[in-house]
Amino acid sequence: MSAHIEPLKNKLIQQLSTIYENIILKQSTDEIAETLIDIMRLTDDITPPQPFTNHWSETDIVLITYGDSIIKAGQKPLQTLKGFLDNHLKDTINSVHILPFFPYSSDDGFSVIDYSSVNESLGSWQDITEISQHYQLMSDLVINHCSSRSAWFDNFIKGEGPGHDFFFTAQLDDDLSTVVRPRTSPLLKAVATGKGQKFVWCTFSHDQVDFDFRNPAVLIAFASIIRQYLDSGVKIFRFDAIAFLWKIVGRDCINLPQTHEVVRLLRTLIESADPKAIIITETNVPNTQNLTYFGNANEAHGIYNFSLPPLLINTLLTGNCTHLKRWLMSMPPSQDGTMYFNFIASHDGIGLRPAEGLLSHTELDSLVQTIESFGGKISWRTTDNGEQKAYEMNIALYDALQGTVAGKDQWNFERFICAHAIMFALEGVPGVYIHSMLGTQNDYNKLANTHNNRAINRHRWDEDELETALADSSLHHEKVLTTLKSLLNTRIKQRAFHPNATQFTLHLGLQLFGFWRQSQNRKQSIFCVSNISDKPVALPLSELNLIVTQAWVELISGDQIYGLTQEIMLSPYQTVWISNV
């Protein structure tokens, strides 16, 4: 065995021993490790990954989209998406997260029927590979559950064949009172099988049946899936709903130690197969729990910055940056080899759990009521004591920012751009939802047709209608796309906006939210300041302590900064990026 494979195998054995401690296995951990190495095709010439290495830079921008967010008659949606990227974003966006593009039965792709196929209505693996050859491809690994219509679950019902022992079951009299989950539906689903009635575990819905990772065959199956995705050009793996992976009856079944060890093991496999491939964990949980998925720079390379959306939206709706500033000050810098994945809108709603402990109950209630007044919907979860609690707000971001807690106003566009200008400048890699890029508004028809609150922010554009909207200067869509592209094209040229560049929070009062970024070579400084209120606010340059011997420029407007003791009057929701040159 080579000098590289032997230590890899030993590491896998150690990780497997930790995961399956106190579980009687049919195979030894040695045999399982060898199987994983074979499936991942890890040979003697593998290059060991270098720890604490950043595989990202200020040039990395991720577009988040469904494969069919844009459709064109007579063309597969993945081909239409590639055309849109090439025509509108190729000089701005270098990465694309295509949400689940597999055959599915519900939840807009997150109830996967077959992990090895591309949904024929979207296109083919050739279309996926074509996109991956021009853009860094991010794909979901829907690892907690699959569709109840999958072949695996069919075999579970029959009691034989691949998948017959892949699913977690419990008993009705088990103590499940402390299980944490984001849904109000019953946790267990009764299923008639060839071996009698079973009660399968369903964290999210009864069409989404949870895997039982106590069976190493499930882990091996997902190693095979990962290998196929790597072969098809996937560079970034989004571990969907990973926090719920491991279950123990009588426990809360979220963020368990075995879950963290599975993440570490999968990172070992993925990095060994492709040292530049990365993992981003999707853990919509309170902030302190979310941070644990960095591990010691040996778990996720990136974590979704879930607290940012509700805090930033709350800031812009209240005109007070206290909570956003306090949170930013509390966030540890991401060490080399890790990064934050920043976003303020996605295919899901705006999660409220990550704001728990950061916003008071009264403030959360006010936020929910304001979003409802702007046409949004609220999704609920059941707490341990049976209470119904707001889980997420479902609304298109453009509509979420059409006013303040006082009501709608004329600053919708400016407030929307301000939110993105803040997010683009923060430490981390920005992810931009396609409907934010296009200024898409609430889709009430899709909401009515699906009865799914999340559908309100999952509009499907007809390409001709979209191009007409983008060509009409009287509509906000063109203005949104042009302005966001301009901000991003400025961002990707600044070394101080590297995802791991230094960041310090500025103290400029309640209406000015600001932070300072410095490049890793310490040559560039950028002061990022936003007026988060609906009134003009003066920014005294003396508060920034700009070095008088250097020349300064405001990057967004391109204006030179003269007189470092003067004030700059910021219009409502205006952002400035003041940089030395």
Side-chain angles (χ1 to χ4, degrees):
M1 189 170 288
S2 78
H4 292 160
I5 289 293
E6 184 171 7
L8 170 63
K9 181 181 175 181
N10 291 337
K11 182 177 182 180
L12 290 172
I13 290 172
Q14 182 180 20
Q15 291 172 325
L16 290 165
S17 298
T18 300
I19 294 169
Y20 298 111
E21 185 180 12
N22 301 323
I23 294 177
I24 299 174
L25 301 175
K26 296 178 181 179
Q27 290 180 293
S28 68
T29 53
D30 184 287
E31 292 171 320
I32 297 169
E34 287 188 355
T35 300
L36 291 172
I37 289 170
D38 289 343
I39 285 175
M40 294 295 292
R41 301 201 303 274
L42 305 178
T43 58
D44 293 347
D45 60 352
I46 65 167
T47 301
Q50 298 299 310
F52 308 108
T53 300
N54 298 325
H55 301 299
W56 43 81
S57 74
E58 62 276 6
T59 64
D60 288 313
I61 312 291
V62 181
L63 182 76
I64 305 165
T65 180
Y66 279 102
D68 60 355
S69 290
I70 306 171
I71 58 174
K72 181 179 182 179
Q75 188 176 60
K76 290 294 186 180
L78 288 171
Q79 297 168 5
T80 305
L81 173 62
K82 172 67 163 49
F84 173 79
L85 292 169
D86 292 347
N87 293 334
H88 292 282
L89 296 174
K90 67 178 180 181
D91 296 326
T92 304
I93 299 289
N94 72 345
S95 307
V96 58
H97 172 200
I98 305 178
L99 291 155
F101 45 81
F102 319 103
Y104 71 96
S105 55
S106 63
D107 199 16
D108 279 357
F110 286 92
S111 183
V112 179
I113 292 176
D114 179 5
Y115 290 86
S116 64
S117 302
V118 173
N119 188 337
E120 290 184 359
S121 68
L122 296 178
S124 65
W125 278 116
Q126 182 178 349
D127 298 319
I128 291 293
T129 302
E130 175 68 18
I131 292 173
S132 74
Q133 290 172 349
H134 296 85
Y135 304 89
Q136 288 190 110
L137 179 61
M138 179 171 169
S139 174
D140 292 275
L141 190 71
V142 185
I143 194 170
N144 178 71
H145 53 262
C146 72
S147 169
S148 64
R149 290 172 49 192
S150 66
W152 282 344
F153 196 67
D154 285 344
N155 288 340
F156 170 81
I157 292 172
K158 290 186 292 186
E160 60 183 15
H164 78 277
D165 53 357
F166 275 20
F167 299 95
F168 197 95
T169 61
Q171 301 299 320
L172 291 180
D173 58 357
D174 284 336
D175 180 9
L176 307 176
S177 60
T178 59
V179 173
V180 174
R181 54 194 294 261
R183 297 292 186 271
T184 57
S185 58
L187 174 62
L188 300 182
K189 172 187 177 180
V191 178
T193 78
K195 298 181 178 179
Q197 188 177 54
K198 301 287 186 181
F199 296 94
V200 294
W201 192 286
C202 301
T203 298
F204 292 93
S205 79
H206 282 187
D207 185 46
Q208 294 165 297
V209 285
D210 285 34
F211 291 113
D212 186 355
F213 271 84
R214 294 174 304 179
N215 178 1
V218 179
L219 179 66
I220 291 168
F222 272 94
S224 180
I225 292 165
I226 288 169
R227 181 67 261 181
Q228 181 181 6
Y229 293 1
L230 285 167
D231 292 341
S232 300
V234 173
K235 288 292 185 183
I236 307 171
F237 289 84
R238 176 186 183 269
F239 282 11
D240 176 66
I242 188 70
F244 303 97
L245 184 80
W246 198 271
K247 290 89 175 167
I248 298 177
V249 171
R251 298 280 298 277
D252 58 5
C253 301
I254 188 169
N255 307 318
L256 294 180
Q258 294 89 339
T259 294
H260 285 279
E261 196 64 44
V262 169
V263 174
R264 287 192 281 270
L265 182 143
L266 293 178
R267 173 165 174 165
T268 298
L269 293 175
I270 289 172
E271 282 189 330
S272 297
D274 183 348
K276 292 186 178 180
I278 67 172
I279 294 167
I280 301 179
T281 48
E282 186 263 337
T283 48
N284 194 353
V285 295
N287 192 52
T288 53
Q289 298 175 27
N290 193 29
L291 290 169
T292 64
Y293 282 85
F294 278 142
N296 183 26
N298 63 348
E299 289 190 37
H301 297 86
I303 62 171
Y304 272 73
N305 219 344
F306 273 109
S307 294
L308 178 60
L311 290 180
L312 180 51
I313 291 168
N314 181 73
T315 293
L316 292 166
L317 296 185
T318 62
N320 185 324
C321 68
T322 298
H323 296 300
L324 183 62
K325 183 166 64 174
R326 185 179 298 156
W327 165 77
L328 194 66
M329 292 172 61
S330 72
M331 292 294 282
S334 55
Q335 61 180 310
D336 283 340
T338 67
M339 56 82 172
Y340 293 110
F341 186 72
N342 295 326
F343 73 108
I344 44 178
S346 73
H347 62 291
D348 287 341
I350 301 159
L352 294 175
R353 285 209 73 205
E356 293 176 6
L358 303 173
L359 297 177
S360 70
H361 294 301
T362 301
E363 289 165 329
L364 285 170
D365 288 343
S366 175
L367 179 58
V368 165
Q369 291 166 12
T370 301
I371 292 299
E372 285 185 307
S373 74
F374 293 161
K377 301 297 180 180
I378 307 301
S379 296
W380 303 85
R381 67 181 178 93
T382 304
T383 63
D384 293 346
N385 58 13
E387 177 189 1
Q388 297 291 293
K389 198 168 185 179
Y391 169 69
E392 71 176 19
M393 304 181 295
N394 303 110
I395 191 169
L397 184 62
Y398 197 85
D399 284 339
L401 297 173
Q402 61 187 295
T404 68
V405 291
K408 298 179 183 179
D409 60 24
Q410 73 272 34
W411 302 109
N412 194 171
F413 174 81
E414 291 79 7
R415 193 179 290 111
F416 179 81
I417 296 301
C418 179
H420 286 88
I422 290 172
M423 190 261 282
F424 293 164
L426 284 170
E427 174 189 355
V429 172
V432 190
Y433 190 35
I434 191 169
H435 291 306
S436 295
M437 207 74 193
L438 300 172
T440 310
Q441 295 179 270
N442 290 336
D443 189 334
Y444 292 109
N445 288 332
K446 192 168 186 179
L447 175 65
N449 290 334
T450 63
H451 305 291
N452 176 4
N453 283 353
R454 288 176 168 176
I456 199 171
N457 191 29
R458 296 177 178 178
H459 181 68
R460 185 176 291 145
W461 278 99
D462 175 82
E463 188 193 47
D464 291 338
E465 292 179 0
L466 175 59
E467 293 298 340
T468 298
L470 294 177
D472 189 342
S473 60
S474 68
L475 299 177
H476 72 267
H477 304 288
E478 183 274 337
K479 192 176 179 183
V480 165
L481 180 60
T482 300
T483 306
L484 292 184
K485 283 176 61 178
S486 177
L487 284 172
L488 287 171
N489 286 334
T490 299
R491 173 206 153 84
I492 62 180
K493 298 173 185 174
Q494 316 306 322
R495 296 289 297 275
F497 283 155
H498 185 284
N500 297 90
T502 298
Q503 176 174 286
F504 283 108
T505 308
L506 304 176
H507 298 278
L508 302 169
L510 301 181
Q511 282 72 53
L512 292 178
F513 175 68
F515 48 93
W516 171 69
R517 303 295 308 279
Q518 184 183 56
S519 60
Q520 291 170 305
N521 63 9
R522 299 187 178 184
K523 291 183 178 180
Q524 184 184 28
S525 290
I526 304 178
F527 292 87
C528 309
V529 182
S530 298
N531 176 4
I532 50 84
S533 77
D534 57 4
K535 302 289 190 299
V537 178
L539 167 62
L541 292 179
S542 59
E543 293 286 324
L544 303 182
N545 294 319
L546 304 181
I547 300 174
V548 296
T549 56
Q550 295 181 340
W552 295 86
V553 64
E554 201 287 291
L555 295 171
I556 297 174
S557 66
D559 294 340
Q560 296 291 319
I561 302 293
Y562 300 103
L564 301 188
T565 59
Q566 68 174 351
E567 292 183 338
I568 297 178
M569 186 60 67
L570 298 186
S571 303
Y573 306 107
Q574 181 183 354
T575 294
V576 291
W577 291 343
I578 299 174
S579 173
N580 59 344
V581 292

